[in-house]
Amino acid sequence: MNFNKIFFNFLFLSLILYTTLSIFFSAISFNWTFQDWHINYDGGFVRRGLSGEIFSSLNNFFYTQDLQLYFNIPINLTYFYFLSLINIIFYTLLLNFFKNIDLNFKNFFIIFSPISLSFVIYNTGAIARKEIILFIGLLIFISILRSFYKKENSIIFLFFFFPLMILIHEGMFFFISIFIILFYLSIKNRFTKFIIFQLFTFFFISIFFFIITSIYKGETFQVISICQNLDYIKNCNTFSAISMLSDEHTLTSTFTSLWVRIFKNEYLFYYPLISILAFYPLCKYSSNYYFEIPLKDNVIKVNFLIILLILFINTLPLYIFTYDWGRWLNITYILLMITFYFLKDCGVLLQSKTHKPYLFLKNKNFFKKFMLAFILFFYSLGLNVAYFDGYNRWIQNYKMIDDKLKFKLRLIKTIPKLF
């Protein structure tokens, strides 16, 4: 095993440790992420409530009354163990996904770009959010595509997975196009009536579940009911992930808040500029590849970047109706990155014969490579500046991260006592 492989594995192990400790901090602080996972159906069916029902069922299954008295607040341990397991599964699947990749500087930088896996380092609010289920689902779907002889049968997995994903977080519906594209490009007979019927059926089932979650978007009485059972969460009824379900948070109030962030907090300045910088290495490299679509007697060559355009158009409503822009960019990048390396590895993507040498390959000077990486990383932090409502809040967040880091270093000594 060469040095690059050892270093690559070390970075993944570091991310697993860092995110696991962050999950534990979330479990003892009942922060926004903890609250979001514990939205449930105590007050009736409501969007994002499936995850809370799962935690409630796990908690009732694993802990008897005697154990509840012993552990004091067992829901914290349920959350910590379950999310830690999901976190480890994600990084393990991703590490296995990259096992055959050429570990040169170019691929290192694309994989650990500030908008990619390292996004969680300077934005702790992105750790163990519900999109981690989406990432795991994509990696499992890719494994199914690789292992199934009849790849058209792989859509059975999507029929079960995506409705459940929408019930966990309805916003994940807007990333459905990446699954459809992967399915479409992975099968040979793409234009048969049966394939078209499968795709339309899958799409309309997903739309149905999305509409259901949009109708049952939440009521104030449901917030009160959920908060009564989670009475250890401070300000549950006023400012929390759960309180966002109440009647007070209407489309008008969301637009008002978004309007402030777009102009006062300069979303329109930070996000377009920084996202271009952050996406540049992946876009530059992938633009040298294309896939073919047979059309009657002709074959159309389509550049890979059309997938980025499709994904951006599909996710546009998220930028119009919500203000977690950095989070959506992070999800988009990771999905696009995984899609690119998969299609490239399985031979669906073909390299253009007229492509120009890639920027990183032209420049052999290590110092210049390092400075390029550092500059892109520094400017990508602007995503975080905007996300936290400007510079002052950003500095406060970094102080909070510093406090969390000190907490994690102390916690490492007590890890054996957690199990």
Side-chain angles (χ1 to χ4, degrees):
M1 184 179 292
N2 58 30
F3 174 77
N4 283 358
K5 189 70 173 179
I6 294 173
F7 184 59
F8 188 79
N9 292 337
F10 170 76
L11 290 177
F12 265 84
L13 289 174
S14 299
L15 280 172
I16 290 174
L17 177 60
Y18 175 79
T19 50
T20 300
L21 294 176
S22 295
I23 292 169
F24 182 76
F25 183 87
S26 173
I28 65 172
S29 63
F30 310 115
N31 65 3
W32 191 280
T33 303
F34 179 92
Q35 298 161 19
D36 192 32
W37 278 100
H38 283 85
I39 296 172
N40 56 54
Y41 300 146
D42 282 344
F45 182 83
V46 67
R47 63 188 176 98
R48 307 187 188 183
L50 181 59
S51 58
E53 288 299 302
I54 292 173
F55 276 113
S56 179
S57 299
L58 285 173
N59 193 60
N60 293 332
F61 178 78
F62 284 115
Y63 297 101
T64 64
Q65 183 63 33
D66 292 337
L67 288 175
Q68 286 182 1
L69 293 173
Y70 177 77
F71 285 108
N72 192 22
I73 309 178
I75 193 69
N76 298 60
L77 293 175
T78 304
Y79 171 83
F80 171 63
Y81 292 145
F82 185 72
L83 260 295
S84 296
L85 178 61
I86 288 177
N87 187 59
I88 292 171
I89 289 172
F90 165 60
Y91 283 109
T92 302
L93 288 174
L94 197 59
L95 187 61
N96 182 68
F97 175 78
F98 286 124
K99 65 181 179 181
N100 296 323
I101 196 171
D102 182 15
L103 297 176
N104 51 34
F105 177 82
K106 167 190 59 184
N107 288 328
F108 256 104
F109 191 76
I110 289 174
I111 294 170
F112 294 101
S113 165
I115 196 62
S116 183
L117 299 183
S118 59
F119 184 75
V120 298
I121 295 174
Y122 59 86
N123 191 334
T124 56
I127 295 174
R129 298 301 293 268
K130 291 182 174 181
E131 55 265 23
I132 195 171
I133 303 294
L134 184 73
F135 299 149
I136 291 174
L138 179 65
L139 292 169
I140 293 175
F141 182 57
I142 284 173
S143 297
I144 292 173
L145 287 173
R146 280 175 168 164
S147 58
F148 275 27
Y149 176 73
K150 292 185 176 181
K151 300 186 185 302
E152 57 269 24
N153 293 337
S154 62
I155 202 170
I156 297 173
F157 169 77
L158 296 183
F159 277 121
F160 288 96
F161 169 74
F162 229 86
L164 295 177
M165 183 73 255
I166 294 171
L167 292 177
I168 291 174
H169 193 302
E170 75 285 354
M172 299 303 106
F173 168 77
F174 296 99
F175 297 96
I176 193 174
S177 58
I178 207 72
F179 289 84
I180 293 176
I181 289 171
L182 281 174
F183 175 78
Y184 174 76
L185 293 179
S186 297
I187 56 180
K188 295 181 179 179
N189 300 319
R190 301 172 185 170
F191 292 101
T192 64
K193 292 182 179 180
F194 180 64
I195 296 300
I196 300 299
F197 173 76
Q198 283 182 309
L199 286 174
F200 271 98
T201 303
F202 164 60
F203 185 66
F204 282 115
I205 288 176
S206 300
I207 287 180
F208 171 78
F209 277 88
F210 177 74
I211 292 174
I212 292 297
T213 58
S214 299
I215 294 173
Y216 295 95
K217 59 184 181 61
E219 302 288 346
T220 300
F221 77 89
Q222 292 176 302
V223 172
I224 295 173
S225 179
I226 296 172
C227 288
Q228 284 175 346
N229 291 324
L230 304 175
D231 55 356
Y232 42 81
I233 298 178
K234 296 180 180 179
N235 303 320
C236 182
N237 292 313
T238 55
F239 184 73
S240 69
I242 298 170
S243 68
M244 297 298 290
L245 301 173
S246 68
D247 301 85
E248 298 176 3
H249 296 280
T250 62
L251 195 60
T252 302
S253 64
T254 301
F255 270 120
T256 302
S257 179
L258 182 60
W259 188 266
V260 172
R261 294 197 178 203
I262 286 176
F263 294 101
K264 183 179 178 180
N265 298 328
E266 299 179 327
Y267 263 36
L268 287 182
F269 170 76
Y270 285 115
Y271 281 95
L273 175 63
I274 303 308
S275 60
I276 290 173
L277 289 172
F279 273 78
Y280 172 76
L282 176 59
C283 290
K284 177 65 177 178
Y285 182 40
S286 62
S287 65
N288 297 322
Y289 290 82
Y290 67 92
F291 55 89
E292 296 180 339
I293 297 180
L295 189 63
K296 294 183 179 180
D297 297 330
N298 298 320
V299 175
I300 302 176
K301 296 181 178 180
V302 183
N303 191 281
F304 175 80
L305 290 185
I306 196 68
I307 297 178
L308 172 61
L309 180 61
I310 293 172
L311 192 55
F312 175 73
I313 292 173
N314 289 163
T315 57
L316 197 58
L318 292 172
Y319 299 92
I320 296 174
F321 297 105
T322 69
Y323 39 75
D324 286 349
W325 287 10
R327 185 181 173 193
W328 311 136
L329 289 172
N330 170 242
I331 298 172
T332 300
Y333 185 97
I334 292 178
L335 294 179
L336 189 72
M337 175 183 68
I338 293 174
T339 300
F340 170 69
Y341 283 115
F342 167 67
L343 294 178
K344 179 174 175 288
D345 182 62
C346 66
V348 173
L349 287 180
L350 305 173
Q351 191 170 17
S352 173
K353 295 180 180 180
T354 59
H355 78 279
K356 296 180 180 179
Y358 186 64
L359 174 63
F360 291 125
L361 300 181
K362 288 165 55 178
N363 182 9
K364 299 295 183 181
N365 187 293
F366 175 79
F367 177 75
K368 290 183 178 180
K369 289 179 180 179
F370 175 80
M371 288 303 298
L372 175 62
F374 179 79
I375 290 170
L376 287 177
F377 179 80
F378 177 78
Y379 279 105
S380 292
L381 293 179
L383 289 169
N384 209 31
V385 175
Y387 187 85
F388 282 94
D389 301 342
Y391 180 78
N392 292 332
R393 286 282 299 278
W394 178 62
I395 294 297
Q396 292 175 15
N397 180 60
Y398 266 83
K399 183 179 183 303
M400 179 180 66
I401 291 175
D402 180 59
D403 293 338
K404 288 182 179 179
L405 183 58
K406 292 176 181 177
F407 165 79
K408 291 167 188 174
L409 292 175
R410 293 194 300 270
L411 181 62
I412 289 175
K413 300 177 183 179
T414 64
I415 285 179
K417 298 179 181 181
L418 298 174
F419 297 93

